Amino acid sequence: CVSFIAIPHPMLLRTAAATVFIAPYLLRRSARAFSTTTTVGIKNKMAPKNPSAIAAAADPHFWLEDVLGQKQLAWVEQKNKECIDAVGDPKETDSYKRIKDILDSKDKIPHAYRIGNDADSQYYNFWQDANHVQGIWRRTTLESYKTKEPKWTTVLDLDALPPPTTDTAKTWVWHGSSLLDEGPNTKVDRALISLSPGGSDADTCREFDLKNERFVDPDENGFALPNPAKTRMSYRSRAEVLVGTDFGMDGSTLTDSGYPRVVKSWKRGTPIEEAVTVFECEQTDIAANMYAYHDRGFVHEFKLRSITFYTSKYFYRPLTVEGIAGTTADEETTPFKEVPIPEDAELGMFADMAMITLRTDYEPPTGISFKTGSLITLPISELMENDWSNAFALFTPTPSISLSSTTECKDYIILKV
């Protein structure tokens, strides 16, 4: 049984002890893929110069990391043949054909999301079917989306793009988009598009003009990382992106897990070689990440260190709309402070409220205990002072009810339990 609970923001709850403002929604900026924990400018002097070489020596199967290499693909083809000879070809089964028909069906629900902050907003959807094997990124209006047969306009057709020129990949695979958000009442006209050659973990990233629906070339001062790598790049402002990737393509800026260890501030109109390091994590961590974003009139910036897939350290500093637009990350003087939450907790924001999901029981300094699986909220300013006196459990699990997921609306959080 699944229930949905909508909670307004702000929600004023009065108790005998205190008055607490509750904000909704856990925006899951997960540390699973990227994270961090050292301060700006501190380097790990013990980090190996070529982590890939060390990994290759320790792992006899490391050579399979080159997923598009001819030798590797030949090995995969041989193993596939051995399996098919033993159990048969799954493509010949009724289950395979039925599943393929479902995936190719045009009757699927076209889930859409809004891009834009005004009446001219459009609703975007990434769609794949038998005619669009790699997929199309398309848009429509809200009025059209509400009809039985929405009228879609194709923004980007992956099947029509020139094929990749690296390795043996022949097609592009959609890895998502990251939007330029300059705050309330501003137009969203740029995005960073991530495409993977052949569908590997590595991807390329190019800036896209949403108004003219085309890529922005580097000669036009567009951001572009054409070499496939495990990359995380996002806008900090119109003139700056924060990027973690395999700088130099030699593995020296990656963790032992093969994800970005170094995050740099890259200014528009400058070569990537001039990007300035603003954050580094440990060599043994999973990854490093740094990101900034607008949230209902507030501006937040985080450094994130993923220690393992389930533990992280967050570092936070508040910014202003004017400050983030006029000062780059390497020049910003507001210091980061470590967020005092358990390493296995997940942290998100809603306006000026921190939203914390617990994986283990936790008793903060105030003495109030919270159960595993609880969703806790309190003002971020108080959290940074380790003041939990106004902390409140937005959701507490029971032996028969747990929190499955959350969905954010403008003024509400929807809890799926």
Side-chain angles (χ1 to χ4, degrees):
C1 179
V2 176
S3 302
F4 295 90
I5 305 170
I7 302 176
H9 169 74
M11 185 165 134
L12 183 59
L13 298 184
R14 297 184 180 275
T15 66
T19 299
V20 185
F21 288 90
I22 302 300
Y25 178 64
L26 173 63
L27 179 60
R28 293 185 182 275
R29 297 184 179 270
S30 174
R32 257 177 281 173
F34 299 97
S35 308
T36 317
T37 195
T38 55
T39 56
V40 175
I42 297 179
K43 297 183 178 180
N44 185 346
K45 297 181 179 179
M46 300 302 293
K49 292 183 178 180
N50 192 342
S52 297
I54 294 177
D59 183 359
H61 296 102
F62 186 78
W63 66 280
L64 291 172
E65 287 288 328
D66 183 9
V67 295
L68 297 177
Q70 292 184 355
K71 181 181 177 182
Q72 289 80 357
L73 290 177
W75 182 88
V76 170
E77 186 176 348
Q78 175 60 31
K79 295 301 178 183
N80 283 346
K81 183 178 183 305
E82 292 174 8
C83 291
I84 290 174
D85 290 344
V87 300
D89 189 347
K91 294 181 180 180
E92 301 302 323
T93 65
D94 291 339
S95 295
Y96 177 91
K97 295 173 182 177
R98 185 172 66 255
I99 293 172
K100 187 174 185 300
D101 287 342
I102 292 172
L103 294 175
D104 287 341
S105 173
K106 293 183 180 293
D107 296 329
K108 296 178 295 184
I109 297 175
H111 297 286
Y113 55 94
R114 189 181 75 174
I115 293 181
N117 296 314
D118 51 29
D120 297 328
S121 299
Q122 296 279 303
Y123 287 76
Y124 285 69
N125 161 262
F126 185 74
W127 181 263
Q128 290 175 287
D129 58 29
N131 297 323
H132 305 96
V133 179
Q134 299 310 123
I136 54 174
W137 196 33
R138 57 186 189 172
R139 60 176 173 81
T140 189
T141 63
L142 178 60
E143 292 71 23
S144 177
Y145 183 71
K146 291 178 179 179
T147 64
K148 185 177 182 181
E149 295 184 3
K151 294 181 180 179
W152 296 96
T153 299
T154 297
V155 176
L156 182 63
D157 185 346
L158 270 62
D159 295 277
L161 292 176
T165 57
T166 56
D167 300 313
T168 58
K170 296 179 173 59
T171 58
W172 292 107
V173 175
W174 179 259
H175 271 195
S177 62
S178 178
L179 303 175
L180 170 62
D181 181 5
E182 297 180 287
N185 305 316
T186 59
K187 290 186 178 296
V188 180
D189 59 358
R190 292 292 176 94
L192 298 169
I193 304 296
S194 296
L195 300 176
S196 166
S200 67
D201 285 347
D203 54 37
T204 63
C205 192
R206 297 174 64 187
E207 189 169 29
F208 192 84
D209 185 333
L210 292 172
K211 181 179 180 181
N212 298 302
E213 297 183 346
R214 65 176 183 85
F215 286 108
V216 184
D217 291 332
D219 337 352
E220 304 172 280
N221 292 331
F223 292 110
L225 292 176
N227 295 320
K230 292 179 180 178
T231 298
R232 173 64 62 89
M233 184 161 73
S234 62
Y235 288 104
R236 189 173 184 273
S237 68
R238 184 172 293 269
E240 178 190 16
V241 293
L242 295 170
V243 55
T245 188
D246 187 3
F247 297 102
M249 302 303 291
D250 59 0
S252 62
T253 59
L254 301 180
T255 63
D256 291 342
S257 299
Y259 292 99
R261 181 178 58 81
V262 176
V263 179
K264 296 187 178 186
S265 165
W266 185 15
K267 284 78 170 177
R268 186 181 294 280
T270 65
I272 186 65
E273 292 75 17
E274 294 182 9
V276 180
T277 298
V278 289
F279 190 49
E280 296 185 34
C281 72
E282 299 295 331
Q283 184 68 39
T284 54
D285 288 345
I286 298 296
N289 191 21
M290 181 171 167
Y291 52 88
Y293 60 99
H294 296 261
D295 190 340
R296 296 162 179 81
F298 296 87
V299 184
H300 308 293
E301 187 161 37
F302 286 94
K303 291 178 180 179
L304 178 62
R305 174 192 172 195
S306 296
I307 304 171
T308 69
F309 280 106
Y310 301 103
T311 58
S312 308
K313 281 185 179 292
Y314 293 83
F315 302 83
Y316 172 76
R317 67 181 175 191
L319 300 175
T320 64
V321 174
E322 298 76 21
I324 195 171
T327 307
T328 55
D330 57 310
E331 297 172 342
E332 175 60 55
T333 57
T334 304
F336 280 94
K337 291 177 62 177
E338 184 174 343
V339 183
I341 59 174
E343 288 187 358
D344 61 352
E346 290 189 351
L347 173 66
M349 296 296 301
F350 191 100
D352 60 340
M353 302 294 287
M355 309 295 292
I356 305 163
T357 301
L358 297 179
R359 285 198 177 99
T360 53
D361 292 348
Y362 180 59
E363 183 175 328
T366 52
I368 304 173
S369 60
F370 297 99
K371 292 183 178 179
T372 300
S374 295
L375 175 58
I376 305 166
T377 183
L378 72 161
I380 185 64
S381 58
E382 296 180 11
L383 173 62
M384 295 308 295
E385 297 300 325
N386 208 15
D387 177 6
W388 292 71
S389 56
N390 286 326
F392 183 84
L394 208 56
F395 173 84
T396 301
T398 70
S400 59
I401 300 176
S402 62
L403 181 62
S404 173
S405 63
T406 62
T407 302
E408 176 188 10
C409 300
K410 180 181 178 181
D411 299 309
Y412 288 80
I413 174 174
I414 299 174
L415 309 182
K416 182 180 179 182
V417 300

